[in-house]
Amino acid sequence: MKHIILYISIFFITVSVAAQNPNRKYQSHNEENGIFSVVTSDGTYRFQFYSKDIVETTFVPKGEIHKAVSHAVILQSKTVKTNYSYVGNDITYGTEDLSVKVTTEPFQISYYYKDKLITSEKRGYYKSKHEPMDMVKGNIVADSTEKIEFNLSKDEVLYGGGARALGMNRRGHRLPLFNRAHYGYETHSELMNFTMPIVLSSNQYMIHFDNAPIGYLDLDSKGDNTLTYETVSGRKTYQVIVGESWYDMLNNYTNLTGKQPMLPRWALGNFSSRFGYHSQEEVEQTIAKFKEENIPVDAIILDLYWFGKEVKGTMGNLEVFRDSFPDFEGMVKRLNDKGVKTITITEPFVLTTSKKWDEAVAKNVLAKDSVGNPAKYDFFFGNTGLIDVYNPEGEEWFWNIYKDLANKGVAGVWGDLGEPEVHPGWVQHHTGSASEVHNIYGHDWARLIHEGYQRDFPETRPFILMRAGYSGSQRYGMIPWSGDVNRTWGGLQSQPEIALQMGMQGLAYMHSDLGGFAGANLDDELYIRWLQYGVFNPIFRPHAQEDVPSEPVFRSDKAKRLAKFAILMRYRMLPYNYNLMFENHLYGKPLMRPLFFEEVDNPQLYNYSKTYLWGNDVLVSPILEAGKKEQEVYFPKTANWFNIETDELIKGGQTKIVKTHPAYIPTYVRAGAFVPLTYMVQTTENYEDSTFQLQYYHDDSVTESERELYFDDGKTANPIENEAFQILEFEAEKKGNWLVINFEAETGKNYSAKSKTIALTIHNIKKEPKKIKVGKEKVNGTYNLKYKTLTLNVIWDTSTEKEIKIKLNK
C-alpha cells in the first residue's frame, strides 16, 4: 500500500501546474453558438472546437475586439458535441477526448486529452514592455511585444518553428519568426526561408499560433520549462491539436489549414536546372544531351536570364528577352513534344531600371512608403520596388504575367526571393505594414497563382515552387525548397532534418537543391551521395551556381554513370511515389517520415534523423559523410526489413553496421510490403500505368498484409472530387502452407479502367513452390534460386477480383 500511495503522490506532483498570471481573476463564463467564453479581470477567453481533436483559444484583452480573420485556418466551424461540468473551482468544457479545464481560483487554463494533461498556460497572454525585438540587424524593432506562455514538462522534446538546421529537438532555442534567406548555410542555421508558428511535442500534441506578424518562438531557451510565443501585433489565437497517432494529428492539422493538392505526375521526375541557362540554344542543347545519354528528364527550369542578359539591373522585366530566346514559344513547344516541361523563375521585385517600372508605378501595383509613393530601396540586384500582392491591382497585374507565360506553354512557376529577401519595416502594403505581412508574403503570392489557375486554367494542376511560405501554405500547392545551401558535406547533413521537420508542419514537399547550390566545390562523391538521397525526396531537382555543373550529363563519366543509376531508380519508383502524393493529399501524411512516428515509445528516436521512412514501407539511410565504407542503421522494431538490392532480411529492433555501396545508399523494404515499380521511361509522358511490376516481400512474421495503389491520369485537377481515379487493393494472407494474394479495385465513375499486366515478384520464397493457381487456373512461375524469388505474370481485369494461391514447399 505504501508503494501505491507513493506512486499516486509522484503522479500528481508531475502533472500539477502552477497558477498562471496572478493578476488575472475569473469573473464569469458562458456558452453561446458553439463559443465557450470566460470573462476575466483583464479580458475574455474564447474557446471553440473545430472537431473533437482541435480546439481554438483566443484571448481578447479589455478594450480590444476579436479579430476573426486567419491566414491559415480554412476548416469551417461546425457543431461539435461537447460536455460541460463545473465542480468546485474547475470548469471543464470539451469533447469526449479533448477538453479545456478552467480553474477559477487561482486562475488557470489547462488542456487534457483522454483525461491526461497535455499542456497548460503558464502566464498565458501578457504584454512585455522594454524588451526590444531586433529581428534583422536593427531593421525591424518593436519596443514592446505580446506573449502567450505555456508550461512544459521536464522531458518533452519539441519540434517545429519551420525550416532550421538545429537538430531535430529544437528545445532550448529562441527562434525568430521572420522569413529570411541564409546563403551558404551548412549544419547550423537558426533563421531560414520558412519560419512557422508551430510547435509539436513528443507528448503528441501540437500548438499552432494563428497569427501572421513577425515574432519569436521561445522553446524553453532559459531552461525553466516554458514555451513562449511572442509577436509585435495581431491575434492572440492558437489551436491545440491532438490525435490517436502522429499521422492522425497531422491529418487533423491539415484538415484545419488545408490539404496539399495533387501535383502533376511529372513533378516526380528529374529536373534540369542551374543558375542559369543564358539562351534558347543552351536550353535545347542541354535537353538534347539528356536524351543522348538516355538519362530521364521531365522539366527544365529557366533562371533569370529568360528576361535579361545580366544578373543585375533587369529583375522585374518579366517578359521574354528575345535576344537570347528569339523563338521562346517554339522552344517550349519542342521541349514539350519531347515530354519536357518548362518552368520560369519570377521574383516579386521590380527594379527602377527594368522595362516594367513605369508600368508598375502607373498601374499602382507596388508597395508604398509612409506618404503613399512607391517604396524604393537598394538590394543586391539594384534599386527596387516590391509588388504588393495584397493590392487587388498588384495581384491582377502579377497574375496576368503568369497567365501570359502559361499561354506560351510554360508549365510551372518558380517564385524566388519571396521572404521577401529585403523588406524594410517602413514599407506599407494594402493590408498592413511590412512587419504584419512579411511572413505570409510568399504564402499569399502562392495563393494568387493557385487561385489564378483555378479561375483561368481549371483543368490544370499547377506546379508552384516557392522559397518562402507560412503555416497553411500547402493548400495552395506550394512546393518549398531549403534555400541556398552550401555545396559541402555540411550542407547535405542538414537536409534530412529540414525535410522531416517541414513534413511534420504540413509542407511535405520540402526538398533541397540536390548536389548543393552555393560555391564552386567539384566533389563527385558529394554530388552522387546527394542525388542518391534525392531519390527518396519529394522533388528530385539538382540545382546550383553554374561554375560547377548541376546536371549529371556534364559531370565526369563515373559521376554521370552513378547519377544515371540514381535517376533510373527514381523513375522505377514512380507508382510508389505517386501513391505517396495521394496519401499526402488525402490524409496530410508526409512523404518523408521520422522513425519516432513508427516507434512512439522510443525516446532515443526523438532526436534522430539519419535514417527515415520514405512512405510507409521504405527505410532510407542517406550517406552524409565522405569516404564512408560502413553505415550505422537503426531498424525499427515494428517490422523485419529486406535489403532492397540483395534481399537480405534483417530483424527489426536493432542497430546494425552495414556496408555501403558506391551506386546506392542503404535502403530497405518493410516485410509484408507490396512495392509497385514501373519499367524504364525517358519521361513520365511515356509512363503507362497498365503495366507494372509488383514486389511482395513475404515473411513468416507477417500473416496478413494489405496495401493500396492509387492511379489517375496524372494531370487533370481534382481527380478524387471528380471520381476520375482508381485504387488497387492488394492483400496477402498466410493460411497454413498456402500464401494467398488477392487483388481488388475501387474505380471512380469517371475513370476509364484498363486491364493491368502485372509482373508479380514474391520475395523470400525459400524453396520452389509445389503448386501455383491464378484464379482457377494452375500456372507455372519463374523461381530464382539465388534470390529466393518467385515471379508470376498476371493479367487482371480490374472490374473483377483476382486470387493467387501459392502452396509453399517447406
Side-chain angles (χ1 to χ4, degrees):
M1 182 63 72
K2 289 181 180 178
H3 294 298
I4 295 174
I5 293 172
L6 178 62
Y7 171 80
I8 292 172
S9 300
I10 291 172
F11 174 79
F12 279 105
I13 290 170
T14 302
V15 301
S16 65
V17 293
Q20 62 186 72
N21 191 334
N23 297 320
R24 184 165 296 138
K25 305 298 182 183
Y26 164 82
Q27 293 181 345
S28 64
H29 67 274
N30 183 53
E31 182 185 9
E32 188 174 354
N33 299 323
I35 306 294
F36 184 70
S37 58
V38 175
V39 179
T40 73
S41 53
D42 62 343
T44 300
Y45 279 90
R46 292 167 51 95
F47 302 99
Q48 180 178 10
F49 280 87
Y50 282 92
S51 72
K52 69 179 183 65
D53 294 325
I54 305 171
V55 62
E56 178 177 279
T57 300
T58 298
F59 185 76
V60 184
K62 272 192 172 180
E64 295 187 18
I65 60 172
H66 175 54
K67 299 174 182 178
V69 178
S70 166
H71 74 276
V73 171
I74 62 166
L75 185 64
Q76 295 297 309
S77 59
K78 56 186 179 182
T79 302
V80 177
K81 184 180 179 181
T82 55
N83 304 304
Y84 163 83
S85 69
Y86 193 175
V87 179
N89 289 336
D90 291 333
I91 306 167
T92 303
Y93 177 76
T95 67
E96 58 182 344
D97 291 333
L98 177 63
S99 61
V100 183
K101 179 184 286 187
V102 181
T103 302
T104 59
E105 180 62 36
F107 189 81
Q108 179 70 58
I109 303 292
S110 307
Y111 297 89
Y112 289 78
Y113 181 55
K114 296 184 181 296
D115 298 322
K116 178 184 176 183
L117 175 69
I118 53 171
T119 190
S120 61
E121 290 193 355
K122 195 165 192 174
R123 278 185 281 182
Y125 168 79
Y126 68 101
K127 284 188 176 181
S128 175
K129 296 182 179 180
H130 309 301
E131 290 188 33
M133 180 181 292
D134 184 355
M135 299 297 288
V136 186
K137 296 181 180 178
N139 194 31
I140 297 177
V141 177
D143 292 329
S144 65
T145 59
E146 299 178 280
K147 298 181 179 180
I148 308 174
E149 192 177 87
F150 293 82
N151 290 295
L152 293 170
S153 61
K154 180 182 176 183
D155 298 321
E156 276 181 85
V157 174
L158 300 180
Y159 312 96
R164 324 266 179 169
L166 299 170
M168 286 294 284
N169 183 6
R170 283 152 182 202
R171 187 165 181 168
H173 293 276
R174 185 170 184 253
L175 304 176
L177 294 173
F178 183 89
N179 291 352
R180 187 185 183 193
H182 182 170
Y183 177 82
Y185 71 92
E186 296 188 357
T187 57
H188 184 85
S189 181
E190 296 189 6
L191 185 58
M192 292 175 63
N193 313 69
F194 288 86
T195 63
M196 306 271 274
I198 294 170
V199 180
L200 301 97
S201 166
S202 58
N203 290 347
Q204 214 166 293
Y205 68 87
M206 183 176 189
I207 302 177
H208 170 240
F209 295 97
D210 193 354
N211 192 38
I214 63 174
Y216 281 91
L217 269 181
D218 191 316
L219 306 181
D220 196 28
S221 67
K222 297 177 182 177
D224 58 355
N225 300 326
T226 305
L227 163 67
T228 308
Y229 170 72
E230 183 177 0
T231 183
V232 296
S233 62
R235 308 177 79 212
K236 277 65 77 172
T237 297
Y238 61 89
Q239 293 93 26
V240 176
I241 303 147
V242 293
E244 296 280 354
S245 67
W246 284 98
Y247 296 114
D248 190 32
M249 185 170 70
L250 293 185
N251 189 31
N252 291 332
Y253 169 72
T254 50
N255 282 338
L256 180 72
T257 60
K259 300 295 189 190
Q260 177 99 25
M262 293 286 290
L263 303 183
R265 183 159 47 215
W266 60 261
L268 293 172
N270 175 36
F271 289 70
S272 179
S273 183
R274 74 164 84 138
F275 178 33
Y277 300 107
H278 294 259
S279 67
Q280 173 181 322
E281 182 181 29
E282 194 171 27
V283 169
E284 296 199 80
Q285 285 179 350
T286 298
I287 293 303
K289 188 71 172 170
F290 275 93
K291 301 296 184 181
E292 178 187 326
E293 299 282 354
N294 292 315
I295 296 178
V297 62
D298 260 86
I300 189 162
I301 298 181
L302 307 188
D303 215 309
L304 46 75
Y305 298 116
W306 76 267
F307 58 69
K309 204 170 188 68
E310 305 296 334
V311 171
K312 295 185 179 182
T314 60
M315 189 172 288
N317 286 352
L318 296 178
E319 60 186 45
V320 177
F321 183 58
R322 294 293 175 178
D323 285 1
S324 301
F325 294 86
D327 183 24
F328 182 85
E329 293 83 354
M331 178 196 74
V332 171
K333 183 180 185 305
R334 288 188 294 275
L335 292 172
N336 201 49
D337 289 344
K338 295 175 182 177
V340 178
K341 310 299 182 186
T342 302
I343 300 164
T344 50
I345 196 172
T346 52
E347 302 91 355
F349 297 98
V350 181
L351 300 186
T352 56
T353 55
S354 72
K355 295 177 181 178
K356 291 194 181 293
W357 174 259
D358 290 341
E359 177 187 330
V361 172
K363 293 195 173 181
N364 192 36
V365 306
L366 300 170
K368 302 293 193 294
D369 62 17
S370 60
V371 294
N373 296 317
K376 294 189 291 184
Y377 50 89
D378 293 329
F379 79 140
F380 175 81
F381 296 94
N383 187 250
T384 194
L386 179 66
I387 299 169
D388 189 354
V389 299
Y390 298 96
N391 184 336
E393 287 90 347
E395 179 173 343
E396 181 181 11
W397 185 84
F398 213 3
W399 167 246
N400 282 334
I401 289 169
Y402 293 116
K403 185 177 179 180
D404 179 63
L405 287 167
N407 285 328
K408 284 179 166 62
V410 170
V413 170
W414 177 12
D416 198 15
L417 313 184
E419 294 76 27
E421 180 159 304
V422 179
H423 199 194
W426 52 265
V427 172
Q428 298 297 310
H429 291 265
H430 186 70
T431 57
S433 67
S435 65
E436 291 173 309
V437 304
H438 176 84
N439 286 334
I440 55 170
Y441 186 94
H443 171 90
D444 283 308
W445 184 8
R447 174 192 54 76
L448 80 84
I449 298 168
H450 176 75
E451 292 177 353
Y453 268 92
Q454 286 184 317
R455 184 173 58 249
D456 294 332
F457 306 98
E459 296 302 309
T460 302
R461 301 184 198 177
F463 178 92
I464 305 172
L465 182 67
M466 285 277 172
R467 202 176 79 170
Y470 213 51
S471 54
S473 293
Q474 72 279 349
R475 70 174 177 269
Y476 299 131
M478 182 182 284
I479 302 167
W481 90 94
S482 60
D484 296 339
V485 59
N486 224 18
R487 199 179 334 208
T488 58
W489 287 98
L492 172 58
Q493 286 160 16
S494 60
Q495 297 311 306
E497 172 205 340
I498 292 169
L500 290 168
Q501 288 272 357
M502 289 291 280
M504 293 167 63
Q505 297 170 72
L507 283 163
Y509 287 89
M510 173 57 81
H511 65 288
S512 64
D513 291 341
L514 298 181
F517 175 81
N521 183 11
L522 180 60
D523 183 335
D524 278 347
E525 184 189 8
L526 169 67
Y527 176 75
I528 291 305
R529 291 308 193 191
W530 210 319
L531 265 60
Q532 291 167 350
Y533 160 68
V535 171
F536 308 100
N537 270 205
I539 302 293
F540 190 95
R541 187 183 56 84
H543 178 71
Q545 294 170 333
E546 63 184 328
D547 41 12
V548 173
S550 55
E551 308 94 334
V553 293
F554 300 122
R555 301 295 287 244
S556 69
D557 288 344
K558 180 180 179 181
K560 187 192 308 180
R561 184 179 71 254
L562 292 173
K564 181 177 180 178
F565 187 89
I567 293 168
L568 293 178
M569 188 172 188
R570 172 73 175 188
Y571 274 76
R572 287 205 70 206
M573 293 192 69
L574 187 61
Y576 180 88
N577 294 349
Y578 196 64
N579 194 70
L580 299 187
M581 185 186 290
F582 161 72
E583 289 184 345
N584 172 257
H585 169 63
L586 208 61
Y587 307 113
K589 289 185 177 182
L591 286 74
M592 295 173 62
R593 305 169 186 179
L595 292 191
F596 63 80
F597 276 29
E598 186 83 3
E599 287 189 31
V600 295
D601 59 347
N602 186 349
Q604 293 184 358
L605 297 177
Y606 290 169
N607 195 29
Y608 185 76
S609 61
K610 291 182 179 179
T611 301
Y612 62 91
L613 285 168
W614 176 241
N616 185 69
D617 291 326
V618 178
L619 184 72
V620 182
S621 188
I623 295 174
L624 306 176
E625 299 173 38
K628 290 205 77 175
K629 303 298 183 185
E630 295 181 329
Q631 177 105 316
E632 185 179 277
V633 180
Y634 177 71
F635 296 88
K637 65 184 180 182
T638 46
N640 294 332
W641 301 89
F642 286 85
N643 184 306
I644 202 169
E645 295 291 339
T646 68
D647 265 11
E648 176 193 4
L649 184 59
I650 298 173
K651 184 174 177 59
Q654 63 173 315
T655 298
K656 191 174 175 68
I657 303 297
V658 303
K659 292 188 182 302
T660 65
H661 192 284
Y664 51 86
I665 57 178
T667 307
Y668 302 85
V669 178
R670 183 191 301 272
F674 286 93
V675 177
L677 302 173
T678 189
Y679 296 94
M680 212 38 256
V681 292
Q682 181 66 31
T683 163
T684 58
E685 286 290 318
N686 306 136
Y687 171 67
E688 175 52 65
D689 64 17
S690 63
T691 303
F692 62 93
Q693 300 171 358
L694 186 64
Q695 312 285 323
Y696 176 63
Y697 289 86
H698 167 66
D699 184 40
D700 288 339
S701 67
V702 182
T703 56
E704 289 187 48
S705 181
E706 294 182 24
R707 296 294 187 276
E708 292 184 345
L709 181 59
Y710 174 86
F711 291 92
D712 61 31
D713 69 4
K715 58 186 178 182
T716 307
N718 306 314
I720 298 171
E721 296 83 344
N722 295 328
E723 295 192 52
F725 68 91
Q726 184 176 57
I727 297 175
L728 306 186
E729 300 168 0
F730 309 121
E731 180 179 348
E733 186 175 3
K734 183 81 179 303
K735 296 181 177 180
N737 289 340
W738 288 89
L739 176 63
V740 181
I741 297 176
N742 285 294
F743 295 170
E744 296 182 44
E746 175 191 349
T747 305
K749 65 181 181 181
N750 295 317
Y751 182 83
S752 179
K754 304 174 186 176
S755 290
K756 303 291 185 185
T757 301
I758 303 172
L760 173 63
T761 297
I762 304 164
H763 297 252
N764 197 27
I765 302 296
K766 295 181 174 60
K767 295 181 180 180
E768 188 167 2
K770 292 181 177 180
K771 186 188 296 185
I772 305 168
K773 293 180 69 177
V774 177
K776 296 181 179 180
E777 182 182 358
K778 186 177 178 181
V779 301
N780 294 315
T782 301
Y783 182 71
N784 186 309
L785 180 62
K786 179 180 178 181
Y787 289 102
K788 303 293 189 292
T789 60
L790 173 69
T791 299
L792 307 172
N793 293 315
V794 180
I795 298 175
W796 175 31
D797 175 359
T798 57
S799 64
T800 63
E801 296 183 15
K802 179 73 75 174
E803 183 182 69
I804 300 160
K805 297 181 71 176
I806 302 162
K807 190 169 186 180
L808 302 175
N809 192 350
K810 292 294 185 182

